[in-house]
């Protein structure tokens, strides 16, 4: 079975940093691009960042560009998101998700809550 | 950026009834549109991709149609577990991937 298990998250002060991780299993990780999507409390879904299967192509939403860094470790089948210069508006549940080519976000992690508050 | 507008915001129906959800794109996204279902406290689940293809394990009562700028998700006979929020998402013009604002299907 395809599994995406997230870790990290928690409460952080404005301006602080945090690292989210997404450990995967049940598929050949290095064949798939991966994405991060977030959802502010009571709100809809917002795409955050993506990384191609080999890490060669990386994209960010304008709202996080320059503050967040996506990375992957294909040897360990894991995905990461470094969050820095955090703001109150970054408070959200963050999901990792797999994106097969020419398809959609077909498997998602369980989500992890990031709360930015003093 | 492609803006996706979903309507209605809320749909109040009873089990056994049919649900019709709409998603309109600000520019053509061809057939590169997906639908997701999200229940409270859970991650979204992929239902439909490429406008009309059901994802693995999705019941036949869920169907998608449309192309270009107008898309529809139909749930032919609502089961109790279908009451949830539904989102559309496009991959035709990205980055960024964009999502609609969601339609809540409530009892």
């Amino acid at each position: 079975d395809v599994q995406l298990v997230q870790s990290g998250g928690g409460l952080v002060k404005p301006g602080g940093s945090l690292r989210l991780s997404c450990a995967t299993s049940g598929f050949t990780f290095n064949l798939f691009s991966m994405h991060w999507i977030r959802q502010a409390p009571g709100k809809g879904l917002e795409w955050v960042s993506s990384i191609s299967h080999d890490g060669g192509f990386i994209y960010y939403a304008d709202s996080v560009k320059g503050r967040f860094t996506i990375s992957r470790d294909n040897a360990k089948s894991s995905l990461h998101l470094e969050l820095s210069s955090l703001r109150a508006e970054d408070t959200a549940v963050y999901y990792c998700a797999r994106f097969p080519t020419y398809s959609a976000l077909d498997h998602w992690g369980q989500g992890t809550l990031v709360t930015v508050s003093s | 950026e492609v803006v996706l507008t979903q309507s209605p915001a809320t749909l109040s129906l009873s089990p056994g009834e049919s649900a019709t959800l709409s998603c309109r794109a600000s520019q053509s996204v061809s057939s590169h549109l997906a639908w997701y279902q999200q229940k409270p406290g859970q991650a979204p689940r992929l239902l439909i991709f490429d406008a009309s293809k059901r994802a693995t394990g999705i019941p036949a009562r869920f169907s998608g149609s449309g192309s270009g700028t107008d898309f529809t998700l139909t749930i032919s006979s609502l089961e109790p577990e279908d009451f949830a929020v539904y989102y559309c998402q496009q991959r035709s013009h990205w980055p960024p991937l964009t999502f609609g604002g969601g339609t809540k299907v409530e009892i």
Side-chain angles (χ1 to χ4, degrees), chain A:
Chain A
D1 280 4
V2 172
Q3 290 195 32
L4 289 74
V5 179
Q6 297 182 226
S7 60
L11 175 62
V12 61
K13 290 181 168 52
S17 300
L18 212 54
R19 189 187 200 219
L20 307 183
S21 295
C22 176
T24 75
S25 60
F27 66 101
T28 305
F29 182 71
N30 63 16
L31 295 182
F32 292 85
S33 67
M34 299 294 295
H35 293 242
W36 288 97
I37 298 93
R38 68 184 181 182
Q39 187 169 36
K43 302 297 184 183
L45 301 168
E46 179 190 16
W47 175 80
V48 172
S49 181
S50 68
I51 185 167
S52 60
H53 68 98
D54 61 356
F57 294 92
I58 287 174
Y59 303 104
Y60 297 99
D62 287 345
S63 58
V64 307
K65 203 171 292 181
R67 302 187 299 120
F68 290 9
T69 303
I70 192 172
S71 64
R72 65 189 296 157
D73 184 339
N74 282 349
K76 296 183 178 179
S77 298
S78 61
L79 175 72
H80 305 283
L81 187 68
E82 299 273 359
L83 294 68
S84 64
S85 302
L86 283 162
R87 307 166 180 166
E89 54 265 35
D90 295 318
T91 293
V93 174
Y94 287 73
Y95 296 101
C96 60
R98 187 181 85 162
F99 197 120
T101 306
Y102 306 123
S103 181
L105 299 157
D106 69 342
H107 288 275
W108 296 62
Q110 82 276 19
T112 188
L113 177 62
V114 173
T115 303
V116 184
S117 174
S118 55

Side-chain angles (χ1 to χ4, degrees), chain B residues 35 48 51-52 54 58-65 72-76:
Chain B
W35 291 93
I48 301 285
S52 61
R54 270 191 303 277
I58 301 303
R61 64 181 182 273
F62 291 92
S63 63
S65 63
T72 300
L73 174 69
T74 301
I75 312 171
S76 60

Side-chain angles (χ1 to χ4, degrees), chain B residues 1-6 22-30 33 67-71 88-90 92-93 96 98-100:
Chain B
E1 172 175 326
V2 176
V3 176
L4 299 177
T5 302
Q6 290 188 242
S22 174
C23 178
R24 178 163 289 178
S26 59
Q27 62 183 279
S28 176
V29 297
S30 184
L33 189 104
S67 66
T69 60
D70 290 298
F71 299 86
C88 57
Q89 171 253 315
Q90 67 83 27
S92 187
H93 304 284
T98 52
F99 293 86

Side-chain angles (χ1 to χ4, degrees), chain B residues 29-42:
Chain B
V29 297
S30 184
S31 62
H32 302 149
L33 189 104
W35 291 93
Y36 300 85
Q37 176 193 67
Q38 187 179 33
K39 297 178 181 178
Q42 296 185 17

